[in-house]
Amino acid sequence: MKRLNKLAATAAAVIMAVCTVAPTEVFAEPAETYSITVDQNGVQSVDTKHVYTAYQVFTGNYSNGVLSDIAWGDGVDGDALLAALKADTSFGEGEANTFADCADGADVAAKMTSENGFTDNSEKAKAFARLAAENTKGSGVASENGVISGLSDGYYLVKENGAAAEGDSLTAAILKVVGSDVTVNRKTSNPSVDKQIYEDTGSWGEVGDFDIGQEISFRVVVDLPSDWTDYDKYFLNIHDQFDGITLDADTAELWYIAPNTDLSDSETMTEGKGVTKLTNGYEISNTGADGKTNAGSVDVKFTDVKTVTVGEGNPEEGGKIVLTYKGTLTGESNVGDAGSQVDNNNNYAEIIYSNNPDNSGDGEDGDTGTSPKDYAFAFTYELDTNKVDADDGSVTLEGAKFKLYKTVDSAKNYAVVEGGKLTGWTENEAEASELVTDGFGRFEVAGLDADTYYLEETEAPKGYNKLAKPVKVVISADLKEENETGSIETLTISVDNGEAADGDKTTGTVEAVIKNSKGSTLPSTGGIGTKIFHGVGSALVLGSGVLLISKNRMKKEQN
């Protein structure tokens, strides 16, 4: 009985234990996560232009700026990256390679010390980032408006996604330890291009006006990147396109302008402090220099601008490369302002350049960007001359002959015109073109600069007096360039210092009206006075005849 009671008590205890111990569910504390914000030139990249992805290179535990318990992260192929590190001579060769005896991620991290040359933005750190970028795996964690979120402790590689936009460059791969919210700087700098034309008034700009046949100076100014240290090489191709111009290929020259050196305003460049003429490191080619075409191009290619010889050194970040050349405005040039880049004798330049620092930078791997086109504009105008009767302006005068000239250094330069277009100027008056008014009393000369001219009449229309002195004609224009389009703001003409009259800006035409007076009709002595003279004349003739007969008779009687 005692034994039974004891068993019953034991069973009751077990039952009580089972009944009073309820099952529980254990929840793990969620791991804290952090973010990387990509800062673009001091402003958070909130635009959608740039998208970044973070790849975990090492995982570990972060505390007080130190990452411990390190292993390969889930964003890289550890074995492949280790092999690449051992093969890259940036870290030494063979047994001298920094990572020669490494077996895993922890070993690699332990070697990345300042004693081994791994400091912020050091060449070895950049080489490690480049190799890590080549050996990523998985999709990583993408940014949203420049912020990469949801990251656990670790060492991360940040890469920019996709291709660079026009005129932009990709950022170099970025390495960052994450154990709190951090910010990294976008590491990129772009070159820029500016094409300029030398106005004969004495200044460089985007617009100018010229005579057909006039030689024009051009220059293409390339601002080199302010930071190209992430590039092993830096490829640069200057492409300059021209229209309405015949190139003088022998005038093409390349110059280097050191940082903080002012670009000269003079038409020609000369060597001096901070200014060096380049003679090596590039290839130059051109089309349209045969004088048979009015369009063509100049191309200058640098396989690596960083290695070009400049004195005893090489080009520096933030310096300039300048292409200069001359060309002649041709008879195929458009006259006036048609309001577009195509019709304004447009000349543009663009540059093709390295834009991915994580690749070779030699321009052969396709990682190049192209800048927006930068334009310069050459304008020319047309002078229409109308010859009319001084008393009745509706009467046009055919057959008036003129020579057009301007003064250059006190010497007369006469226009040579073919088919209504200027082809050039000559100091030999005998070679000057004779400009004759047609049946409508007009002639045209297209291809003139804004300048002062003189129309000298050499023969008046029949029945009219020739002009006593040349007619002074002044063509004036104000030009503008905005949003890569050149335009004529104002176009006027004044004749013999008279009030300026507006021209047609679209066609580039100005009109000079020249009046001729009829020749004088000399006073007549007709009517009675004429008859009297006739009568007196007849009497004199008759009298002389009678006298002659009388003298003959007297002579016969004497004989």
Side-chain angles (χ1 to χ4, degrees), residues 223-288:
D223 284 304
L224 297 174
S226 59
D227 183 0
W228 60 18
T229 55
D230 290 320
Y231 291 87
D232 295 331
K233 295 180 179 180
Y234 200 86
F235 173 84
L236 178 66
N237 178 188
I238 303 171
H239 175 74
D240 183 90
Q241 188 76 30
F242 47 84
D243 179 34
I245 300 291
T246 295
L247 170 69
D248 183 353
D250 293 336
T251 63
E253 295 178 336
L254 272 296
W255 301 82
Y256 170 69
I257 313 297
N260 303 315
T261 301
D262 292 334
L263 190 59
S264 172
D265 289 331
S266 64
E267 183 175 9
T268 58
M269 297 188 67
T270 56
E271 289 194 292
K273 186 177 181 180
V275 181
T276 306
K277 185 176 179 180
L278 298 181
T279 59
N280 70 93
Y282 64 87
E283 295 179 357
I284 187 167
S285 59
N286 65 75
T287 62

Side-chain angles (χ1 to χ4, degrees), residues 514-529:
I514 298 177
K515 299 177 181 180
N516 269 74
S517 297
K518 292 179 179 178
S520 298
T521 303
L522 295 175
S524 174
T525 56
I528 296 175

Side-chain angles (χ1 to χ4, degrees), residues 278-306:
L278 298 181
T279 59
N280 70 93
Y282 64 87
E283 295 179 357
I284 187 167
S285 59
N286 65 75
T287 62
D290 55 9
K292 299 177 182 178
T293 181
N294 69 304
S297 63
V298 178
D299 276 275
V300 181
K301 290 184 180 181
F302 297 86
T303 301
D304 185 9
V305 183
K306 298 173 72 172

Side-chain angles (χ1 to χ4, degrees), residues 238-404:
I238 303 171
H239 175 74
D240 183 90
Q241 188 76 30
F242 47 84
D243 179 34
I245 300 291
T246 295
L247 170 69
D248 183 353
D250 293 336
T251 63
E253 295 178 336
L254 272 296
W255 301 82
Y256 170 69
I257 313 297
N260 303 315
T261 301
D262 292 334
L263 190 59
S264 172
D265 289 331
S266 64
E267 183 175 9
T268 58
M269 297 188 67
T270 56
E271 289 194 292
K273 186 177 181 180
V275 181
T276 306
K277 185 176 179 180
L278 298 181
T279 59
N280 70 93
Y282 64 87
E283 295 179 357
I284 187 167
S285 59
N286 65 75
T287 62
D290 55 9
K292 299 177 182 178
T293 181
N294 69 304
S297 63
V298 178
D299 276 275
V300 181
K301 290 184 180 181
F302 297 86
T303 301
D304 185 9
V305 183
K306 298 173 72 172
T307 60
V308 172
T309 301
V310 178
E312 297 180 355
N314 306 110
E316 300 177 54
E317 299 164 332
K320 292 178 173 62
I321 300 290
V322 182
L323 164 66
T324 61
Y325 69 89
K326 294 184 178 182
T328 301
L329 194 67
T330 72
E332 299 300 317
S333 306
N334 297 301
V335 178
D337 173 16
S340 74
Q341 295 161 330
V342 174
D343 294 329
N344 287 339
N345 303 316
N346 75 81
N347 301 271
Y348 71 82
E350 62 184 358
I351 51 176
I352 299 93
Y353 57 92
S354 296
N355 74 341
N356 188 347
D358 292 329
N359 283 343
S360 66
D362 60 9
E364 299 297 326
D365 50 18
D367 284 320
T368 56
T370 302
S371 71
K373 295 179 174 67
D374 190 77
Y375 290 82
F377 301 88
F379 291 90
T380 193
Y381 313 109
E382 178 178 312
L383 171 62
D384 290 354
T385 301
N386 295 294
K387 188 76 165 174
V388 300
D389 184 275
D391 297 321
D392 185 353
S394 66
V395 177
T396 58
L397 305 179
E398 181 180 4
K401 297 180 180 179
F402 287 86
K403 290 180 180 178
L404 176 68

Side-chain angles (χ1 to χ4, degrees), residues 80-319:
L81 176 54
L82 179 56
L85 293 169
K86 291 181 177 182
D88 196 300
T89 56
S90 300
F91 311 108
E93 298 184 34
E95 294 299 320
N97 184 284
T98 303
F99 304 104
D101 59 353
C102 292
D104 55 28
D107 291 343
V108 170
K111 294 289 186 178
M112 295 175 64
T113 63
S114 58
E115 290 78 11
N116 287 332
F118 288 87
T119 56
D120 289 349
N121 297 313
S122 66
E123 292 304 314
K124 285 191 176 182
K126 292 174 184 177
F128 182 90
R130 174 173 51 81
L131 293 176
E134 294 173 0
N135 290 280
T136 58
K137 71 176 183 179
S139 58
V141 181
S143 67
E144 183 175 348
N145 294 329
V147 180
I148 307 170
S149 303
L151 305 177
S152 60
D153 289 1
Y155 188 54
Y156 286 84
L157 171 82
V158 178
K159 290 175 60 176
E160 185 173 352
N161 297 359
E166 182 185 51
D168 202 359
S169 300
L170 297 175
T171 183
I174 301 169
L175 295 170
K176 195 69 175 178
V177 174
V178 172
S180 61
D181 293 338
V182 296
T183 297
V184 297
N185 292 316
R186 177 178 169 80
K187 300 166 64 178
T188 183
S189 175
N190 303 311
S192 63
V193 62
D194 180 18
K195 180 161 186 177
Q196 301 174 2
I197 193 167
Y198 191 77
E199 171 61 89
D200 49 14
T201 56
S203 61
W204 288 98
E206 309 294 325
V207 291
D209 42 28
F210 307 92
D211 293 322
I212 286 178
Q214 183 175 347
E215 188 174 65
I216 307 171
S217 294
F218 294 94
R219 72 182 182 188
V220 179
V221 181
V222 177
D223 284 304
L224 297 174
S226 59
D227 183 0
W228 60 18
T229 55
D230 290 320
Y231 291 87
D232 295 331
K233 295 180 179 180
Y234 200 86
F235 173 84
L236 178 66
N237 178 188
I238 303 171
H239 175 74
D240 183 90
Q241 188 76 30
F242 47 84
D243 179 34
I245 300 291
T246 295
L247 170 69
D248 183 353
D250 293 336
T251 63
E253 295 178 336
L254 272 296
W255 301 82
Y256 170 69
I257 313 297
N260 303 315
T261 301
D262 292 334
L263 190 59
S264 172
D265 289 331
S266 64
E267 183 175 9
T268 58
M269 297 188 67
T270 56
E271 289 194 292
K273 186 177 181 180
V275 181
T276 306
K277 185 176 179 180
L278 298 181
T279 59
N280 70 93
Y282 64 87
E283 295 179 357
I284 187 167
S285 59
N286 65 75
T287 62
D290 55 9
K292 299 177 182 178
T293 181
N294 69 304
S297 63
V298 178
D299 276 275
V300 181
K301 290 184 180 181
F302 297 86
T303 301
D304 185 9
V305 183
K306 298 173 72 172
T307 60
V308 172
T309 301
V310 178
E312 297 180 355
N314 306 110
E316 300 177 54
E317 299 164 332

